[in-house]
């Protein structure tokens, strides 16, 4: 991942986006998330998903779906 990229995004926004992606992938792979991780997803997943839906799909993203 490119930590220097994403113009206009603060380090906190980048952290939230990356954490949501990791938690969603873990859940998709069958891992049990903690209550605090589930709460984090409830709080931020909608925001991150709306941002991600605006990005073009790449072959690796489609393979994960």
């Amino acid at each position: 991942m490119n930590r220097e990229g994403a113009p206009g995004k603060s380090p906190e926004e980048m952290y939230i986006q990356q954490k949501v992606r990791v938690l969603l992938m873990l859940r998709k792979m069958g891992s049990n998330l903690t209550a605090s991780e589930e709460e984090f997803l409830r709080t931020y997943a909608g925001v991150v998903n709306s941002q991600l839906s605006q990005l073009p799909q790449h072959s690796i993203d489609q393979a994960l779906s």
Side-chain angles (χ1 to χ4, degrees), residues 25 28 57-65:
M25 282 189 200
K28 200 174 224 181
Q57 288 289 314
H58 297 285
S59 60
I60 191 150
D61 293 334
Q62 293 168 350
L64 293 173
S65 299

Side-chain angles (χ1 to χ4, degrees), residues 36-55:
S36 64
E37 290 168 335
E38 290 288 350
E39 180 64 27
F40 186 89
L41 282 178
R42 279 193 293 278
T43 303
Y44 294 107
V47 174
V48 172
N49 283 336
S50 68
Q51 292 172 350
L52 293 177
S53 67
Q54 297 172 9
L55 298 175

Side-chain angles (χ1 to χ4, degrees), residues 1 9 14-28 40-41 45 48-49 51-53 55 61 64:
M1 289 188 214
K9 290 200 177 194
M14 293 295 297
Y15 167 79
I16 290 169
Q17 185 175 2
Q18 290 174 0
K19 184 172 179 178
V20 166
R21 285 181 179 182
V22 169
L23 291 175
L24 289 174
M25 282 189 200
L26 286 171
R27 182 197 280 167
K28 200 174 224 181
F40 186 89
L41 282 178
V48 172
N49 283 336
Q51 292 172 350
L52 293 177
S53 67
L55 298 175
D61 293 334
L64 293 173

